[in-house]
Amino acid sequence: MELSDVYNKEEASIFTSILFDFFADTNRAGMLKEPGKIIPPRTQQILEENLWLLKEYKPIQYITGEAWFYKLKLTVSPAVLIPRPETEELVDELLRINQKKNYTDIIDIGTGSGCIPVAIKKNMPALNVTAIDISHDALVIAKQNAATHATTIVFKQLDFLDDAAAAILGKYDVIISNPPYIPEKQQGTMDKNVTAYEPHIALFVKDNQPLIFYEKIAAFALEHLNQNGMIFLETHEELAKEVASLFNDALYEVEIKKDIFEKERMVIATRYR
């Protein structure tokens, strides 16, 4: 079954190799060494079924149930977003800065697969890390990833947009979040592998409330962020300046940082009062 009508040659080759490695315990090099190797009929059927799913744009990470983030192999499912390289950059910024700041208490808002808190805790084990999400199914995956990598993280299921629910949370030195930020109207311009398979609750916000999560984070920080604490946010490249403007000049020093693709994707705010 050919993938070239859906993916470019390099992608098709990589995806095919991943499938053979995962389901048939062989890879491209192995196939070249043993061209006559017989693959059991059931394995052939599984390979064909998953090649068909790839042609239907299902992400390879959901087919194998695995994704890599910050050099860690994580479990993923359609209940969580597939971790992105841009989010690794956000974690990079926090870890780099915390080498000097020595913060101790961190909360991740909208944790999904748990990729952010697991990566943070794995690299700085002494930190106290809390992670929240509205989705029970996402937290099942996040807890599994935390256990796999022997990281102790406090997970809480709650609706962060519910002020009463968020009010029960404690005080923190750092707030980090990659919240939903894509306006619903942009769905038609996005790749099918994203819109057809990844959880919309973790991707999209209403067109008339594109900043809703950032507004809530700014309000939450007034009561729950310690003095001299920091906020690390991933955001839409078209909204970075608007997100930055939410943090009052009298309370915060705010910086917009570009990702590896030169897009304004990170907002970092330091509270000095």
Side-chain angles (χ1 to χ4, degrees):
M1 185 179 295
E2 293 294 329
L3 298 177
S4 56
D5 54 339
V6 177
Y7 304 98
N8 63 44
K9 185 177 180 180
E10 182 179 1
E11 287 176 322
S13 176
I14 291 170
F15 292 161
T16 301
S17 290
I18 290 172
L19 288 184
F20 272 84
D21 182 43
F22 191 82
F23 292 107
D25 195 28
T26 187
N27 54 28
R28 181 170 294 276
M31 288 186 284
L32 291 173
K33 287 180 180 178
E34 300 180 78
K37 181 177 180 179
I38 297 175
I39 297 175
R42 177 56 185 152
T43 302
Q44 289 184 37
Q45 181 183 353
I46 291 171
L47 288 169
E48 289 174 2
E49 288 171 353
N50 284 293
L51 283 168
W52 181 84
L53 289 173
L54 278 174
K55 291 190 73 171
E56 290 295 305
Y57 298 93
K58 186 170 185 175
I60 188 72
Q61 294 91 339
Y62 288 156
I63 290 174
T64 63
E66 298 176 350
W68 287 88
F69 183 84
Y70 224 81
K71 299 181 181 179
L72 301 171
K73 185 164 73 172
L74 302 178
T75 295
V76 294
S77 79
V80 300
L81 289 182
I82 296 166
R84 305 300 206 267
E86 299 94 315
T87 309
E88 290 186 339
E89 295 182 69
L90 191 69
V91 171
D92 252 342
E93 288 293 321
L94 188 158
L95 294 175
R96 178 182 63 81
I97 289 172
N98 203 41
Q99 288 178 344
K100 297 180 180 179
K101 294 282 189 177
N102 294 316
Y103 291 128
T104 59
D105 295 287
I106 294 175
I107 185 168
D108 175 33
I109 296 171
T111 196
S113 67
C115 61
I116 289 175
V118 170
I120 292 170
K121 187 74 174 179
K122 195 69 178 176
N123 284 274
M124 290 189 168
L127 295 178
N128 302 315
V129 183
T130 299
I132 66 171
D133 204 287
I134 191 173
S135 168
H136 168 78
D137 291 342
L139 288 174
V140 170
I141 297 294
K143 290 175 182 178
Q144 182 177 341
N145 285 322
T148 297
H149 293 287
T151 51
T152 301
I153 297 164
V154 176
F155 291 102
K156 296 179 183 291
Q157 183 182 359
L158 59 83
D159 180 357
F160 183 71
L161 297 183
D162 181 335
D163 292 337
I168 69 170
L169 295 166
K171 299 197 75 170
Y172 306 93
D173 300 314
V174 172
I175 297 169
I176 187 168
S177 184
N178 175 23
Y181 56 70
I182 303 172
E184 289 177 335
K185 64 184 178 184
Q186 292 191 5
Q187 288 188 45
T189 67
M190 297 173 65
D191 292 338
K192 185 178 178 182
N193 64 310
V194 175
T195 58
Y197 291 97
E198 297 201 61
H200 285 202
I201 193 173
L203 287 168
F204 299 109
V205 289
K206 294 186 181 302
D207 295 333
N208 63 345
Q209 292 182 298
L211 302 181
I212 185 168
F213 280 93
Y214 302 103
E215 292 166 349
K216 289 290 184 179
I217 289 170
F220 175 80
L222 291 175
E223 300 294 330
H224 295 268
L225 183 68
N226 292 326
Q227 187 173 341
N228 298 317
M230 295 186 71
I231 301 172
F232 294 79
L233 302 172
E234 184 174 330
T235 186
H236 195 295
E237 62 186 284
E238 297 174 2
L239 298 174
K241 289 181 176 61
E242 292 181 61
V243 170
S245 72
L246 295 174
F247 297 93
N248 190 311
D249 290 343
L251 294 178
Y252 294 96
E253 178 182 335
V254 184
E255 180 182 11
I256 297 172
K257 294 190 73 85
K258 294 180 178 179
D259 65 13
I260 54 174
F261 304 109
E262 290 297 306
K263 295 179 179 180
E264 293 183 336
R265 293 291 302 277
M266 290 173 277
V267 174
I268 300 174
T270 304
R271 181 171 183 170
Y272 54 85
R273 283 184 58 191

